[in-house]
Amino acid sequence: MTAALQTRNLLRRFGGLVATNDVSITLEQGARHALIGPNGAGKTTLINLLTGVLRPTSGTIWLAGEDITRTSRARRVELGLVRTFQINQLFPGFTPLQSVGLAVSRRLGLDRNMFRTIGSDPRVVGECVDVLERFDLIDVMNRPTASLPYGRQRLLEIAIAIACGPRVLLLDEPAAGVPEGERGEIMDGLAALPADVTVLLIEHDMDLVFRFASRISVLVQGALLVEGTAEEVANDPRVREVYLGDDAHG
Amino acid sequence: MSEPTTRAANMAEAARALRQVSRAKPVEILFWLLALASFLFLPDQYLLLNEVAITGLFALSLDLVIGYGGIVSLGHAAFFGFGCYLAGLLTKFGVPDPLMGLAIAAVGTGVLGFVTSFLVLRGSDLTRIMVTISIAVLLGEIANRLPGLTGGADGLQGVAPGLLLGRFEFDIFGQVAYGYSLAVTFVLFLIARRFIFSPFGWSIRAVKQNALRTSSIGIHVNRRLVVAYTLAAAYAGVAGALLAQTTSFVSLDVLAFHRSADLLLILIIGGTGYLYGGLVGALLFKVIQDFLANLTPEYWEFWIGMLLVALVLIGRDRVTGLPAMLIGKFRRA
Amino acid sequence: MLTNLFDGVAYGMLLFVIACGLSVTLGLMNLINLAHGAFAMAGGYITVVLVNRMGVPFFAALPLAFVLSALLGLVMERTLYVHVYRKSHLEQVMFSIGLVFMAMPAVSFFLGSEQKFITVPAFLDTRYEVFGVSMGAYRLLIILVCGLLAAGLQFIVARTRFGSQLRAAVDDPMVARGLGIRVDAVFATTFAVGSGLAGLGGALGANLLGLDPTFPVKYMVYFLIVVAVGGSAGMTGPLVAAILLGIADVSGKYYLPQFGSFFIYALMIVVLLWRPQGLFARPGGR
């Protein structure tokens, strides 16, 4: 079976600095994979390479067997590679329903229509309700996004991505900045992700990582240090030293 | 996941909410009834009202660019002037039918908008401002340097459009002129409204709010803005064409910088991003302008400038909210 | 040919002195200030009043034009501009156009709307022939003064403590604040000096550029070109851009008079098509 997402020898230099160093990573279909590493390890650069914000200096990226190394950002989304952002990137003036509705219209290819209203297609309405129910946003679907509590906004961040119909979803620190009391909602949101969607999770909250991910890769100074099951990684002495050790002390 | 009944209820609620946004509100119907009433009951104001309708359409076009697309333009007069000259020349040289002239002006200006959009959409706000100003100045220079065609500084004279719909002659009181301008503005308004509430229009509003996220849900941001800019250019061209046809004259002034700047003010007075801002602003601006011009004929621009500065420093919401606030206080007292 | 080049350089240096403040304010506070030309106009009219009405010698009036314009800039910055830094570009555009709309009628109300000329000392009217190049003494003076100013500014920005604070603040205001640099004070100073230089340029250039109440609008795009093409990374970019603009404009009007200023706008559009971030912008810079 082809891997959902695969990179081989991915390398990115900024001047003399190597931000991503020879990274080869494989995500199987439906995987729950986490990417961890200390600050400055190059996690965000890697996401930017995968989504096409940055071009790699060398190396290759495949999405379901198709080479997407040089594909445009919008096209990668069409092919099913969707991301969320560490800092909320929402539409503050839209309601959750409208935001999700736009993404659904896009996926159904209705977004170029200039003369029908956005809700006139029952498929759009149906899929919006599906996504909003899945992430428990139905009760706030008609409130302006800017007025939602932060935790709900983080969920909407994921809901919009799911509305794009991803095959592979890249979650960039979904729990970043979420207060302790609202973390449960994020965990529920992650649990509600469709099983057939392959997920790469970047997260600092180790509790979340170990509860969610079945495989973990550790990135240090742009290069992969260890990859394995949650248990293997948790018990790996090198990981303890460079990452968990640091965390415990600092 | 959830009970079938709640799901059905949620579906109905979502469908209702999505329909609701685009449904015509009573105040909108009232607005257009008032416009119709002005045509029926204010015959001695036709010339002024005609100007308001044309300026309103022009400002609506800028609203599509700024209020919806988020592109700061200071040269929107380029399209207005281009449409104006195009319609004037068509009338003089072989196409007297007003509607035909209007259509050709719309297409011609749309093409100009499409081509220049690639210049404008590159670069930052600053370069956008410069490029838009420059395009208007360039067209002004061309019009000025081709007196054989455009009449140069004397303006294009003797623009005499034919009968409207083959029946109505443009009269000196401006009755046909205003009826014509108002009808065209109304039709184009309806199209703009439809456009804005379509998925396409929705995506343009999304770009303005968050271009990064819009591209991350798979929408080609620049292509959307090109379409919005082109459509807006065509609208401005139609407004210009209306002016040429209803006043039978085109002057270099249609391309002048102050026209673009005034237009921005009109839109700001009326408010951006709800489609009516341009129309309301055009009416208010005309009233303010007449008032100030009577007060200080030579220096009225000073007060316009002060209004702009005040609108920014105090905040538009607070200025326009002032009457409502006073009424509220009055009621409580 | 060379005479045109000479005139173009003089013209370009004037544009640089007027516009360099604009490039710094844009880079530093991300402020789009379309009213910058109004400060140049103020400097021009201050000199007209000082020299023509009060009989102040021309060379004494120039520093006064600088100081008074700088003061005007400082007052405007502290009372008005300080409120619009955090507003959107659209609002900054409206605000500064509003100021221009106020400045123009105000000037024609007090001083009349006709073009004004400054009475300059007679020796500035002479022309010199050097290797067949005809050089006006007045333009020589402009090149001299503006050249010294450009060198001085370059020195201040590149070598002094204030200059390094300025560069740090342009690079990243947040980080600069963190380093204890008083960004507000740096900006107020820069704004005042920039206005003063604009005023000085307006005074020096009044007879060359044509001083009337439409001045701020007439040259608005020229100043913007200097900034947009030159970038806001340092003094060299705007200087080179301004001189190129001056030469192009003078020779364009000389060799292709039927095109007027057409040539310059077309050239600018081509340049921005080629390099949307300006000719001299640093890669990755703002």
Side-chain angles (χ1 to χ4, degrees), chain C residues 6 9-11 13 138-148:
Chain C
F6 172 77
V9 170
Y11 181 33
M13 291 197 120
Y138 191 72
R139 287 189 168 81
L140 264 180
L141 173 78
I142 286 174
I143 292 183
L144 192 71
V145 173
C146 295
L148 284 176

Side-chain angles (χ1 to χ4, degrees), chain A residues 22-177:
Chain A
D22 205 28
V23 171
S24 299
I25 199 168
T26 302
L27 270 64
E28 298 301 337
Q29 297 283 357
R32 293 288 183 269
H33 199 120
L35 182 69
I36 62 173
N39 282 326
K43 301 186 296 284
T44 302
T45 305
L46 186 60
I47 283 229
N48 285 338
L49 289 172
L50 294 176
T51 52
V53 176
L54 293 172
R55 288 287 148 96
T57 311
S58 63
T60 321
I61 308 167
W62 287 276
L63 182 67
E66 185 175 346
D67 184 345
I68 57 160
T69 316
R70 310 257 157 235
T71 306
S72 78
R73 288 160 70 181
R75 180 73 190 133
R76 288 182 207 209
V77 178
E78 281 171 26
L79 292 172
L81 179 63
V82 182
R83 72 174 290 185
T84 66
F85 292 84
Q86 187 182 342
I87 297 165
N88 275 341
Q89 298 292 340
L90 301 169
F91 305 110
F94 287 173
T95 63
L97 176 62
Q98 291 164 346
S99 309
V100 170
L102 178 66
V104 170
S105 305
R106 167 73 204 94
R107 195 173 67 69
L108 296 175
L110 303 168
D111 61 312
R112 286 193 199 86
N113 190 307
M114 296 186 193
F115 287 100
R116 293 178 69 173
T117 54
I118 193 164
S120 60
D121 193 310
R123 287 178 298 166
V124 175
V125 180
E127 292 209 18
C128 284
V129 171
D130 285 346
V131 171
L132 292 168
E133 281 181 345
R134 185 185 285 275
F135 292 99
D136 199 23
L137 288 164
I138 206 88
D139 56 321
V140 292
M141 69 177 174
N142 289 326
R143 280 174 53 183
T145 298
S147 73
L148 300 183
Y150 188 75
R152 291 295 186 90
Q153 293 194 16
R154 287 311 278 164
L155 283 177
L156 179 58
E157 180 80 30
I158 302 173
I160 293 174
I162 285 295
C164 299
R167 288 195 281 183
V168 177
L169 178 64
L170 310 178
L171 293 172
D172 195 352
E173 298 197 26

Side-chain angles (χ1 to χ4, degrees), chain B:
Chain B
M1 193 167 292
S2 58
E3 309 258 327
T5 44
T6 45
R7 186 180 156 81
N10 288 340
M11 285 282 291
E13 171 60 16
R16 188 201 60 77
L18 287 174
R19 266 201 316 271
Q20 169 104 36
V21 187
S22 57
R23 180 166 297 160
K25 293 166 194 64
V27 62
E28 294 188 72
I29 296 166
L30 181 70
F31 179 91
W32 289 107
L33 283 178
L34 283 175
L36 180 65
S38 73
F39 177 69
L40 296 176
F41 302 115
L42 292 172
D44 47 342
Q45 299 291 337
Y46 282 153
L47 296 176
L48 188 76
L49 287 169
N50 181 46
E51 223 175 299
V52 170
I54 291 171
T55 313
L57 178 61
F58 185 25
L60 168 64
S61 142
L62 187 67
D63 198 11
L64 291 176
V65 171
I66 293 184
Y68 290 97
I71 307 162
V72 183
S73 165
L74 256 182
H76 214 53
F79 304 120
F80 184 81
F82 188 74
C84 206
Y85 272 106
L86 202 54
L89 291 170
L90 282 169
T91 313
K92 273 191 95 164
F93 301 109
V95 188
D97 181 62
L99 286 177
M100 181 63 88
L102 214 56
I104 298 176
V107 172
T109 323
V111 169
L112 180 69
F114 178 74
V115 172
T116 53
S117 70
F118 296 96
L119 294 171
V120 173
L121 292 176
R122 294 173 72 100
S124 59
D125 281 350
L126 180 80
T127 43
R128 284 174 178 181
I129 290 166
M130 271 177 46
V131 170
T132 49
I133 298 178
S134 302
I135 291 167
V137 174
L138 273 179
L139 289 180
E141 282 284 326
I142 295 174
N144 191 24
R145 304 274 157 180
L146 294 173
L149 188 65
T150 64
D154 296 333
L156 186 66
Q157 307 202 353
V159 176
L163 302 178
L164 181 61
L165 298 171
R167 286 181 62 185
F168 305 103
E169 192 181 349
F170 286 99
D171 55 299
I172 55 162
F173 308 106
Q175 183 178 21
V176 170
Y178 179 48
Y180 175 47
S181 298
L182 188 61
V184 170
T185 301
F186 179 61
V187 169
L188 290 188
F189 177 87
L190 287 184
I191 295 174
R193 197 178 181 286
R194 193 88 205 185
F195 174 75
I196 284 307
F197 290 119
S198 74
F200 196 101
W202 216 261
S203 69
I204 287 170
R205 298 165 69 184
V207 171
K208 191 193 170 199
Q209 293 185 51
N210 193 335
L212 176 63
R213 190 60 194 248
T214 311
S215 69
S216 299
I217 60 176
I219 289 170
H220 292 272
V221 166
N222 254 22
R223 291 186 201 168
R224 298 296 152 111
L225 293 182
V226 165
V227 173
Y229 198 76
T230 303
L231 182 75
Y235 268 46
V238 170
L242 284 175
L243 186 74
Q245 291 173 349
T246 56
T247 60
S248 305
F249 178 67
V250 183
S251 74
L252 278 179
D253 185 60
V254 294
L255 287 161
F257 173 75
H258 77 82
R259 196 175 278 272
S260 301
D262 286 352
L263 190 70
L264 195 58
L265 172 62
I266 288 168
L267 193 56
I268 300 303
I269 295 176
T272 57
Y274 74 104
L275 285 176
Y276 285 88
L279 300 170
V280 173
L283 186 62
L284 287 175
F285 181 76
K286 205 76 215 156
V287 172
I288 295 171
Q289 194 185 26
D290 273 16
F291 173 73
L292 291 176
N294 283 331
L295 214 64
T296 53
E298 278 181 77
Y299 307 108
W300 66 275
E301 257 193 343
F302 179 86
W303 304 106
I304 292 286
M306 192 176 244
L307 183 63
L308 265 171
V309 171
L311 279 173
V312 174
L313 288 185
I314 302 169
R316 199 195 141 269
D317 297 340
R318 267 185 277 172
V319 174
T320 48
L322 199 64
M325 207 181 75
L326 289 177
I327 292 171
K329 280 206 173 145
F330 180 71
R331 281 200 183 143
R332 251 175 279 144

Side-chain angles (χ1 to χ4, degrees), chain A residues 6-28:
Chain A
Q6 191 171 17
T7 71
R8 188 184 294 159
N9 306 115
L10 209 56
L11 187 99
R12 169 73 198 201
R13 282 201 188 88
F14 292 105
L17 184 84
V18 182
T20 304
N21 191 2
D22 205 28
V23 171
S24 299
I25 199 168
T26 302
L27 270 64
E28 298 301 337

